[in-house]
Amino acid sequence: NAGVTQTPKFRILKIGQSMTLQCTQDMNHNYMYWYRQDPGMGLKLIYYSVGAGITDKGEVPNGYNVSRSTTEDFPLRLELAAPSQTSVYFCASSYSSGQGRASDTQYFGPGTRLTVL
Amino acid sequence: KQEVTQIPAALSVPEGENLVLNCSFTDSAIYNLQWFRQDPGKGLTSLLLIQSSQREQTSGRLNASLDKSSGRSTLYIAASQPGDSATYLCAVRRGGADGLTFGKGTHLIIQP
């Protein structure tokens, strides 16, 4: 049981380049999340998903896109990288009982450290 | 908009001391509160989750309390050890499918 895995661990992008951050969970969790963490700051929610085919914006969605075609995978896409997107990106997942509420612990991946130059 | 504040921002204590980390939030309408530990360059490890209907949760040397009406939570660490050195993050969930709103964390150093 690997939990939440993220690839790559590190990446350097040039301004204007695109990339996809991968996130996979093997816990059969239906809820998945993307956060970013800037130095000395708490995490901020970018996007989240309550199930395959359903995604919604979080606090800081601009410059990012997501998709959720399977329960296990929740990739985050950066289309035109900007220096302001230099950050550490964390994916997380949790389980909902199916009553429209996510009540359980969120489990986090190890993060992807992204630098945009 | 929910805001989460953690005090102190940094704390350094000798090994063996009991200590308290504080977390406050501006909107008391939360569904649950979660405490995490983050080691340098690593992901987050969940320590304790308290549902809004609960007053406290315990795990080993850790005890977390929740006073929802006053918008406060504390994390109590008993008999601190050097291995407890890390950044501790507090986060609240408003409800439904919402993500977590995080504080900036308390950077804790336990001196051997």
Side-chain angles (χ1 to χ4, degrees):
Chain A
N1 189 332
V4 180
T5 58
Q6 294 182 237
T7 57
K9 292 189 186 325
F10 304 93
R11 183 73 184 268
I12 298 176
L13 284 181
K14 294 182 180 178
I15 295 172
Q17 286 186 321
S18 302
M19 78 165 293
T20 298
L21 283 67
Q22 301 291 345
C23 175
T24 299
Q25 54 90 11
D26 63 0
M27 297 175 282
N28 201 31
H29 286 170
N30 46 1
Y31 284 28
M32 295 187 74
Y33 307 85
W34 274 105
Y35 296 89
R36 60 176 286 172
Q37 184 178 34
D38 298 325
M41 305 293 288
L43 284 72
K44 293 189 183 296
L45 182 67
I46 305 172
Y47 271 97
Y48 65 97
S49 168
V50 300
I54 306 171
T55 62
D56 208 345
K57 296 178 181 179
E59 184 182 359
V60 290
N62 291 344
Y64 307 96
N65 280 300
V66 293
S67 60
R68 183 100 181 268
S69 57
T70 67
T71 299
E72 295 78 20
D73 301 307
F74 190 39
L76 177 71
R77 178 85 177 161
L78 282 70
E79 291 293 348
L80 292 171
S84 62
Q85 293 178 305
T86 294
S87 190
V88 181
Y89 292 84
F90 290 101
C91 178
S93 70
S94 66
Y95 176 73
S96 166
S97 62
Q99 297 177 344
R101 311 187 77 176
S103 59
D104 289 342
T105 299
Q106 283 195 22
Y107 296 91
F108 281 72
T112 293
R113 187 174 298 273
L114 176 67
T115 301
V116 182
L117 301 175
Chain B
K1 177 185 173 185
Q2 178 75 271
E3 292 186 1
V4 179
T5 302
Q6 292 188 244
I7 294 174
L11 182 63
S12 180
V13 301
E15 179 179 3
E17 284 200 3
N18 303 324
L19 56 98
V20 174
L21 307 182
N22 297 290
C23 171
S24 62
F25 44 94
T26 55
D27 185 350
S28 62
I30 65 168
Y31 189 70
N32 61 35
L33 182 145
Q34 202 165 343
W35 282 94
F36 293 89
R37 168 188 173 132
Q38 185 175 29
D39 293 289
K42 304 291 186 183
L44 280 68
T45 301
S46 179
L47 298 173
L48 290 164
L49 181 144
I50 309 177
Q51 301 291 359
S52 62
S53 59
Q54 298 175 323
R55 297 284 292 180
E56 66 177 351
Q57 283 286 334
T58 298
S59 176
R61 294 183 293 107
L62 304 179
N63 176 276
S65 68
L66 174 63
D67 184 344
K68 198 175 77 164
S69 61
S70 67
R72 296 179 187 276
S73 175
T74 61
L75 179 66
Y76 176 82
I77 302 176
S80 59
Q81 303 171 357
D84 294 330
S85 298
T87 296
Y88 290 79
L89 295 165
C90 168
V92 298
R93 169 178 274 162
R94 183 180 62 185
D98 295 331
L100 294 168
T101 299
F102 282 84
K104 294 181 181 180
T106 294
H107 181 56
L108 177 63
I109 296 175
I110 307 298
Q111 307 155 8

